[in-house]
Amino acid sequence: MNLFSTLHRFTVVPSLPKELSGLQRIAYNLWWTWEPEAIGLFKRLDPELWRATRHNPLEMLGCLQQATYDSLMMDEGFMSHLAQVEERLDEYLASRTWYERHGNPRARIAYFSMEFGLHESLPIYSGGLGILAGDHLKSASDLGLPLVGVGLLYRQGYFRQHLNFEGWQQEIYPENDFYNLPLHLERDASGTPLTLEMEYPGRSVRIQIWRVQVGRVRLYLLDSNLEENTPVDREITTRLYGGDQEMRIRQEILLGIGGIRALRLLGIEPNVCHMNEGHAAFLALERIRILMEQRSLNFCEATEAVRGGNVFTTHTPVEAGIDHFPGELMERYLGYYYRHLGLTREQFLTLGMQNHGRSNENFCMAVLAMKLSLHSNGVSELHGMVSRRMWADVWPDLPEEQLPLTYVTNGVHQKSWLSEEMSNLLIRYLGTRWLEQSDDALWRKVSRIPDAELWRTHRRGTERLVDYARTSLRAQLQKLDAGTKEIDRAGDVLDPEILTIGFARRFATYKRGTLLLHDKERLERILNHPERPVQIVFAGKAHPADHQGKELIRQIVQLAQQEKFRRRIVFLEDYDISVARRLVQGVDVWLNTPLRPQEASGTSGMKVAFNGGLNMSILDGWWCEGYRGNNGWAIGRGEVYDDLAYQNEVESRAIYDLLEKEIVPLFYNRGSDGVPRGWTAFMKASMQTLCPVFSTDRMVQEYARRCYLPAFENWERLNRDDLRLAVELARWKERLHGVWGGLSIVAVQAGCESEVTVGQRVPISVQITPGDVPLSEISVEVYFGVLDSRGSIMGGEVVPLDPATDPDKVGHFGGELECRFCGRHGFLLRVMPRHPEVGTVYDPGLILWG
């Protein structure tokens, strides 16, 4: 007999007196994670328990005894503090927002991500993608966007990292106790948990929905760990990025298709869906399927209606980092699905292929997302350029710079990463408006902060970091049963008074975590200089399957164990949001050494800037836009090398040179009051130039203006009048595909000699034979610009040509090219469809160059 088959279950929740019920209300809204007064309130309950529960207020409330609650109610100071925090939460939720002033109340936005990094107490994230998603939700809440998040609730999340004596990474997967996390199980009117059915090969899987409140924003998380599911299906939401390709496709079907179904079950019908990476791309197919069923449309008609309301953000500058699934796996998991959409196998697989002619090409989730989204973007200016090059085959008829793939540079949620001391200092000198808006003029007021005050505020962060590193190192050694002497010696590592470099990130090989260790003898001289020493704090995890990344960690740990480096190098294990927060608030210099152009953006250095730290980085990702020469340091000039060994040699020397000749002298050149005025000038320049730009407030506003609101307007226009325009557009394109081959360019003439002068206008005349394509339905343009050494147009511009007004010149178009630059120029003619309501349209196969 299985004893557990008759097991009766119930949930125990904290029993708080009515007077203290506000503690639970605050704990269930993650607004508290970026509100210092709320954090201070929970910490005040029991500082030791606060640390032991990994800053989880719900778990802490469940551990407190009734006697503690009784004493709290008698503490007038605590009760006043509680009332103040509750009042602040009420004010936050009721205040007028940026979106109310600038947005459209009819828009409903859903933001899908595989991971969300909101706080260390909710471990359903692994790294940068999740942290960005978490910061996105927080700023969406601050700005008042009508947005919900959708993700998966992982029973084990990402792994906890432990290091053995040799420095090898060990992975541990503790279970998340959902009932001690800030989660609400969604229920119907009778109190029964809401569930949905998902079809997988040969069976159905039942899914339940949890809700996390993030300020004004709700985050819905899907969970397959229900008893009625098979053990295999309960594993779908066990681990983030765990398992093989088959597990990954199950998770992505659940995120995309299941996410849309969950929202509909909750009565939420988004008209704009944002895919944070390609993991959620199946949502576009589900939106199409629903519209086909609701409105009796075919696939092409429904696609026109849906595409206008989709936004896709890619975070990966190498195609190997994107999910690709073989055709047989797609057939097994989605064969029934695409047939239900009325597609053949070839038509379906083509949706995820760049080059339709390559029969061996796997199905790519990013390609599916781009083809079914009107707005696609990278996450920095450089990444936008790299992405256009990388995905050029998706739009084979367009020049690279004309591809519909732009960029929105990442940012960070400043309130989540600022130290309380630095925040208070900024409020004293800048006021409070910088907390609500990105404004260059406000941040220029940083110049008013006295150098000594700025310097000493930042040093307090360094002191806390050193204290934390010593405590953590002692705990690491105790877990390894190290000797008493070795544990005691952990108390003298690092020094809060000396130059502190931080390096913390995922230990993928392209990030080159050991580049700083390239010349150990030279490094030793720098770190142990008798008058101007330097120290380094490392942290980071390698993916469990990345043995090269694990080897990099091992090398650093073993070097840190050598006597000559013991006090100057520390590796902090189990990198998470809590560790990151201490690092970005305490380091003087943040080191970033990726192989250009493989860092799509990066955000950790932005967090450092808000806390007065400076960046030293390869010119990659966001630093290409942030570096000004007086606000940090660039390693190299953005070169790309073919020889990796040579590149490592050159760039490691550049780091040592910067340290020895610029950074270290600037840090230690002190006035009579002990303040390094040259260094604080860099700190101020960094804050003035970086803080107003690299915040998620600016980023989310940019998404709203450039993506969400235009996407909503497109969706609304295509869906009004019973989807008249969407249906018409699909049929119009179908008709044009049938007759486009009869269109031809008869003649192109440029009214100039072989040489023209700067400023001269060159007349262009074109004659078109339209065949069966109405002339009113074509747009004739010139693609014009300077030629490079290979004869290709660089950074070309598009100049529209007007149809001739002379009735005897039907099919003739003309215009002028303005020659604004010297050099070899060229132009191409292109003809594209033009819809009377939509304007010029690009569709593969509907473009003619001449």
Side-chain angles (χ1 to χ4, degrees), residues 407-477:
Y407 74 94
V408 176
T409 302
N410 283 345
V412 298
H413 186 250
Q414 57 199 29
K415 301 171 201 172
S416 293
W417 300 101
L418 259 177
S419 72
E420 189 173 356
E421 295 92 343
M422 188 62 75
S423 178
N424 291 336
L425 177 70
L426 292 171
I427 288 171
R428 278 202 302 278
Y429 290 94
L430 277 64
T432 57
R433 279 199 301 125
W434 64 272
L435 290 165
E436 300 169 359
Q437 62 187 77
S438 299
D439 187 319
D440 289 2
L442 281 174
W443 281 97
R444 282 198 292 273
K445 294 180 182 178
V446 166
S447 61
R448 301 176 182 178
I449 302 174
D451 291 350
E453 204 169 345
L454 179 61
W455 173 249
R456 291 185 181 118
T457 299
H458 178 69
R459 294 325 297 165
R460 284 194 284 277
T462 308
E463 290 165 7
R464 280 199 309 275
L465 172 60
V466 169
D467 182 61
Y468 173 78
R470 291 171 176 173
T471 302
S472 297
L473 189 56
R474 276 194 292 264
Q476 287 174 223
L477 292 169

Side-chain angles (χ1 to χ4, degrees), residues 310-558:
N310 285 339
V311 177
F312 168 59
T313 298
T314 176
H315 293 260
T316 308
V318 289
E319 195 171 350
I322 300 286
D323 285 328
H324 294 76
F325 297 119
E328 58 270 19
L329 196 63
M330 296 297 295
E331 177 66 39
R332 180 150 31 105
Y333 275 88
L334 290 160
Y336 75 94
Y337 193 90
Y338 74 69
R339 284 189 285 273
H340 188 69
L341 295 175
L343 300 176
T344 66
R345 174 186 168 98
E346 182 183 2
Q347 288 171 328
F348 175 62
L349 293 180
T350 295
L351 290 172
M353 292 182 179
Q354 283 200 77
N355 189 328
H356 306 163
R358 288 202 299 256
S359 59
N360 62 340
E361 186 178 345
N362 285 338
F363 189 97
C364 176
M365 295 297 285
V367 171
L368 176 65
M370 282 182 277
K371 287 185 176 181
L372 297 182
S373 297
L374 191 63
H375 298 269
S376 296
N377 67 277
V379 289
S380 70
E381 184 176 14
L382 177 61
H383 182 230
M385 294 169 55
V386 171
S387 297
R388 286 190 291 275
R389 204 168 303 138
M390 180 174 159
W391 301 113
D393 285 350
V394 177
W395 302 277
D397 303 315
L398 294 179
E400 187 178 295
E401 59 269 20
Q402 293 284 309
L403 299 183
L405 203 166
T406 59
Y407 74 94
V408 176
T409 302
N410 283 345
V412 298
H413 186 250
Q414 57 199 29
K415 301 171 201 172
S416 293
W417 300 101
L418 259 177
S419 72
E420 189 173 356
E421 295 92 343
M422 188 62 75
S423 178
N424 291 336
L425 177 70
L426 292 171
I427 288 171
R428 278 202 302 278
Y429 290 94
L430 277 64
T432 57
R433 279 199 301 125
W434 64 272
L435 290 165
E436 300 169 359
Q437 62 187 77
S438 299
D439 187 319
D440 289 2
L442 281 174
W443 281 97
R444 282 198 292 273
K445 294 180 182 178
V446 166
S447 61
R448 301 176 182 178
I449 302 174
D451 291 350
E453 204 169 345
L454 179 61
W455 173 249
R456 291 185 181 118
T457 299
H458 178 69
R459 294 325 297 165
R460 284 194 284 277
T462 308
E463 290 165 7
R464 280 199 309 275
L465 172 60
V466 169
D467 182 61
Y468 173 78
R470 291 171 176 173
T471 302
S472 297
L473 189 56
R474 276 194 292 264
Q476 287 174 223
L477 292 169
Q478 286 168 349
K479 282 184 291 188
L480 295 171
D481 294 323
T484 303
K485 182 179 179 183
E486 191 172 359
I487 293 172
D488 289 343
R489 290 204 317 165
D492 66 359
V493 301
L494 306 182
D495 182 335
E497 298 301 321
I498 71 177
L499 176 62
T500 305
I501 298 173
F503 183 98
R505 52 196 28 88
R506 181 167 54 92
F507 265 76
T509 50
Y510 80 86
K511 293 178 183 283
R512 296 188 294 177
T514 57
L515 187 63
L516 187 57
L517 317 181
H518 197 73
D519 184 340
K520 295 181 182 61
E521 290 184 5
R522 191 172 178 187
L523 179 64
E524 184 193 356
R525 292 196 299 271
I526 293 171
L527 299 189
N528 292 314
H529 191 282
E531 297 171 359
R532 302 182 307 191
V534 179
Q535 59 197 9
I536 314 165
V537 183
F538 286 95
K541 296 177 177 179
H543 187 278
D546 184 359
H547 297 292
Q548 288 179 300
K550 291 180 180 181
E551 169 61 20
L552 296 178
I553 293 173
R554 186 193 68 82
Q555 290 175 23
I556 295 169
V557 173
Q558 292 203 337

Side-chain angles (χ1 to χ4, degrees), residues 180-331:
N180 271 318
L181 293 175
L183 304 168
H184 289 285
L185 191 60
E186 289 293 331
R187 301 175 185 273
D188 62 18
S190 67
T192 304
L194 286 174
T195 59
L196 59 136
E197 297 282 339
M198 291 295 298
E199 300 83 19
Y200 286 96
R203 80 275 188 196
S204 289
V205 179
R206 190 172 290 275
I207 306 298
Q208 61 185 3
I209 309 164
W210 299 81
R211 171 170 49 86
V212 180
Q213 195 68 34
V214 186
R216 299 179 177 91
V217 166
R218 290 163 293 162
L219 167 61
Y220 295 104
L221 300 171
L222 309 184
D223 170 24
S224 71
N225 185 30
L226 279 74
E227 287 185 356
E228 52 262 52
N229 292 332
T230 67
V232 170
D233 292 328
R234 294 180 71 171
E235 294 293 311
I236 294 172
T237 55
T238 294
R239 290 182 183 175
L240 172 62
Y241 305 138
D244 54 12
Q245 271 196 319
E246 193 155 354
M247 178 57 75
R248 181 63 67 87
I249 198 171
R250 288 177 194 153
Q251 290 183 331
E252 296 188 2
I253 288 171
L254 177 55
L255 176 62
I257 297 175
I260 291 291
R261 292 182 184 178
L263 291 179
R264 297 188 75 223
L265 185 63
L266 293 163
I268 300 169
E269 294 274 0
N271 39 45
V272 176
C273 288
H274 186 172
M275 295 167 261
N276 189 42
E277 241 335 325
H279 308 122
F282 291 137
L283 73 81
L285 297 176
E286 180 66 4
R287 295 186 78 191
I288 291 168
R289 183 193 67 78
I290 292 168
L291 212 52
M292 290 174 68
E293 289 187 356
Q294 287 179 337
R295 305 295 184 89
S296 300
L297 305 178
N298 63 35
F299 181 82
C300 292
E301 292 165 347
T303 297
E304 291 297 338
V306 165
R307 182 192 283 124
N310 285 339
V311 177
F312 168 59
T313 298
T314 176
H315 293 260
T316 308
V318 289
E319 195 171 350
I322 300 286
D323 285 328
H324 294 76
F325 297 119
E328 58 270 19
L329 196 63
M330 296 297 295
E331 177 66 39

Side-chain angles (χ1 to χ4, degrees), residues 786-794 824:
V786 178
L787 301 180
D788 63 15
S789 59
R790 294 169 299 178
S792 300
I793 296 173
M794 298 185 300
R824 188 72 172 162

